[in-house]
């Protein structure tokens, strides 16, 4: 009987990864890492880790003599790297060295930091590093150029005022009717952001009339529409919420009400948000969650026109349970 | 008594490992509330872990497939297919590589075997370049990473294949012979065919574990570096270094080389840069990375001559850069 320390360490690591992923799923923290669309895939990974753990555990003890066959898997042609095991492929049977200690430490690092440090919601510091304003201006810019090439010349005929634009007064009137919309529609879905073609089209139609209410499931689609066609939405009333982002070069009364849009995992989170203007802005701290109501106008950032919200009403809100937005997936029937 | 322990050893070991783990877990959880960590570290950690969580399913699937190939497919199977004509052999080997799902960690030992058995060095290099780059898992993960858009995935495969063929032709013109560092003896294990299917399958799973541990450290280093870049390097700086088409392509190719990511997972990291860089640069990242990177270069140097490895590296970098600059305008 022989006890293999390295094999035991490996089984511990495999179990660790499995438990770590399962734990994130059970505590709901997984939403702070990945788009719920990939929940199943990540559960599959946790399961595979568990399976590999059960296989690895059989290699911890070997009977002397037969060890080569049991633990080294020298089956058939598998060992195309038989000359230098330790370089190409480590079966965990070669003697322990400082080099191996380093590689085990590297593998253990995410487990240690995962269990010991709390998961954090990305904040405005990351938004700054990701170039928040650049991407806001970018999405508006790319939208504009797309507009020029794809939209009919109807647009060119009525410069400044798109045909769908409603005078502000009319908007206000309609807004009065729309305040009946239940608050519930604004809460985060928290689950896979999936909807059918019909539902999606209905939501996009809603964009054409009344106050534009941003709820999480449609936020990114509305955002895209508006920033690619600012003129059309000029003067429309909007109601939205997000965390406060500020950057050097902003005026005293300016801030961005922003959200992170997560396509897969938070590493690919992009910033979307609306530059907002109101006198109280100077007093509001970064990373606070606020809800605003106001009217869309055209602002600019580094000579690129971007939507600007003139805020008439604002209040502090709680950070939602699922702080991120996910792009809409259209479900085909 | 001893026999009793021995027969239940597996259960006991499993139990002990789980117990040890739970102890560590509760210890770690205790820390969580006490530890005062700057928020930028927490941001870094969250991004780092999210890349890993997202990449693990793909890495594990890749490792399992690699394990299956190592056990069930012999190098003879592949070399039997390679034609005698040198140029035909290159096209052939690139195509085989495209069908053969492999990761860059596992492919160097295989090409060493192939070259040892008389496959022309150029064909082997073609196989090495397309193997990790073009395969179903990479296609699937690239497709998903770019918001279910097939364009980037298709361009990655198409241009990648063309580049691999060009590089392999050039290698064929410059180099003859095996290019091995020293005369490496290739002793073949002769107990193939003796194992039952179950034994082979078991060995395959064990092989997958070893493969995972080989790859995991490179993946973790890569995820950590990528998270560092995101947390501490302002996008504006990166934009300034890589503001032109050529320099942004160079920046992304350099990033791909030093991150040394697995081709199964790099699409997710490449996608995270797509708001900052044009798609030509992103393609440079996606094509150059799987073909050759830091860890792959190191592994190659333990088999091939230094001069050969450096030439291949330069050829790949030069060709990827030139092709993408030429095609960049059309994208």
């Amino acid at each position: 009987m022989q006890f293999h320390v390295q094999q035991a360490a490996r089984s511990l690591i495999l179990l660790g990864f499995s438990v770590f992923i399962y734990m994130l799923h059970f505590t709901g923290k997984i939403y702070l890492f990945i788009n719920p669309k990939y929940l199943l895939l990540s559960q599959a990974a946790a399961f595979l880790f568990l399976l590999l753990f059960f296989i690895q555990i059989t290699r911890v003890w070997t009977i002397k003599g037969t060890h080569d066959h049991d633990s080294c898997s020298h089956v058939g042609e598998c060992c195309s790297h038989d000359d230098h095991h330790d370089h190409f492929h480590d079966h965990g049977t070669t003697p322990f060295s400082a080099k191996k200690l380093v590689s085990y430490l590297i593998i253990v690092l995410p487990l240690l930091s995962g269990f010991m440090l709390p998961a954090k919601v990305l904040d405005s510091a990351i938004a700054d590093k990701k170039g928040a304003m650049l991407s806001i201006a970018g999405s508006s810019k790319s939208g504009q150029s797309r507009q020029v090439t794809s939209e009919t010349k109807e647009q060119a005929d009525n410069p400044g005022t798109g045909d769908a634009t409603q005078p502000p007064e009319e908007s206000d009137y309609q807004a009065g009717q729309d305040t009946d919309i239940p608050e519930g529609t604004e809460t985060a879905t928290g689950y896979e952001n999936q909807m059918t073609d019909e539902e999606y089209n209905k939501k996009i139609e809603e964009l054409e009339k009344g106050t534009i209410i941003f709820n999480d499931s449609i936020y990114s689609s509305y955002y895209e529409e508006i920033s690619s066609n600012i003129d059309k939405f000029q003067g429309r009333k909007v109601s939205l919420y997000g965390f406060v982002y500020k950057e050097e070069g902003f005026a005293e009364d300016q801030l961005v009400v922003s959200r992170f849009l997560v396509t897969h995992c938070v590493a690919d989170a992009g910033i979307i948000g609306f530059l907002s203007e109101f006198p109280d802005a100077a007093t509001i701290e970064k990373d606070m969650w606020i809800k605003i109501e106001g009217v869309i106008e055209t602002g600019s950032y580094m000579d690129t026109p971007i939507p600007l919200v003139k805020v008439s009403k604002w209040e502090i809100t709680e950070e939602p349970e699922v702080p991120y937005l996910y792009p809409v997936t259209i479900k085909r029937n | 008594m001893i026999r009793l322990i021995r027969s239940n050893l597996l259960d006991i070991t499993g139990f002990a490992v789980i117990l040890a783990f739970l102890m560590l877990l509760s210890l770690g959880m205790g820390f969580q509330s006490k530890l005062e960590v700057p928020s930028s570290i927490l941001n870094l950690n969250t991004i780092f872990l999210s890349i890993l969580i997202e990449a693990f399913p793909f890495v594990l699937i890749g490792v399992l497939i690699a394990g299956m190939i190592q056990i069930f497919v012999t190098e003879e199977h592949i070399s039997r297919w390679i034609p005698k004509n040198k140029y035909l052999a290159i096209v052939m080997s690139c195509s085989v590589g495209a069908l053969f799902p492999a990761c860059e960690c596992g492919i160097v030992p295989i090409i060493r075997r192939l070259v040892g058995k008389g496959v022309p060095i150029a064909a082997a290099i073609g196989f090495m370049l397309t193997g990790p780059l073009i395969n179903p898992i990479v296609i699937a993960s690239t497709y998903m990473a770019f918001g279910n858009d097939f364009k980037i995935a298709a361009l990655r495969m198409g241009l990648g294949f063309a580049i691999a063929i060009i590089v392999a032709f050039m290698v064929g013109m410059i180099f003859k012979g095996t290019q091995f560092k020293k005369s490496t003896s290739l002793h073949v294990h002769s107990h193939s065919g003796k194992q039952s299917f179950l034994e082979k399958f078991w060995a395959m799973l064990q092989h997958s574990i070893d493969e995972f541990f080989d790859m995991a450290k490179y993946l973790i280093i890569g995820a950590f570096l990528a998270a560092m870049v995101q947390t501490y390097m302002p996008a504006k700086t990166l934009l300034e270094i890589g503001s032109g088409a050529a320099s942004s392509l160079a920046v992304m190719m350099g990033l791909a080389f030093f991150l040394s990511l697995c081709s199964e997972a790099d699409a997710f990291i490449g996608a995270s840069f797509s708001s900052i860089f044009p798609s030509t640069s992103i393609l440079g990242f996606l094509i150059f990375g799987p073909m050759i990177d830091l860890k792959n270069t190191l592994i190659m140097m333990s088999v091939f001559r230094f001069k050969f490895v450096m030439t291949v590296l330069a050829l790949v970098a030069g060709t990827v850069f030139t092709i993408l600059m030429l095609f960049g305008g059309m994208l």
Side-chain angles (χ1 to χ4, degrees), chain B residues 59-87:
Chain B
V59 170
L60 286 175
I61 294 166
V63 154
L64 284 175
I65 290 181
M68 230 178 294
I69 285 160
Q70 301 277 42
I71 305 289
F72 295 110
V73 182
T74 64
E75 286 86 347
E76 283 98 333
H77 287 153
I78 298 162
S79 62
R80 202 183 300 150
W81 283 46
I82 302 265
K84 292 279 168 284
N85 181 299
K86 194 167 123 189
Y87 298 103

Side-chain angles (χ1 to χ4, degrees), chain A residues 1 10 16 34 55 59 61 70 74 82-83 88-89 91 103 113 115 120 123 129-130 264 266-267, chain B residues 6 13 21 25 43 45-46 50 54 112 144-145 185 187 189 191 205-206 210 214 217 230 235 299:
Chain A
M1 277 297 173
R10 285 178 169 210
I34 60 169
I55 291 156
R59 301 162 89 183
W61 292 89
D70 275 355
H74 279 213
D82 27 29
D83 290 341
F88 289 153
H89 224 81
H91 292 299
S103 54
S113 74
F115 282 118
K120 186 172 181 307
D123 59 16
K129 292 292 185 294
K130 284 187 178 243
H264 301 97
V266 294
Chain B
R6 197 174 283 183
T13 317
F21 186 78
L25 183 69
N43 279 332
N45 184 45
T46 306
S50 87
E54 191 64 34
R112 179 169 131 264
M144 279 171 140
S185 64
H187 69 94
H189 272 261
H191 38 232
L205 288 173
Q206 293 196 338
D210 298 329
D214 281 345
K217 58 175 179 282
Q230 292 212 10
I299 300 173

Side-chain angles (χ1 to χ4, degrees), chain B residues 266-281:
Chain B
D266 66 351
F268 294 106
I269 290 157
S272 72
F273 288 99
S274 57
S275 61
I276 306 172
F277 287 119
S279 52
T280 315
S281 321

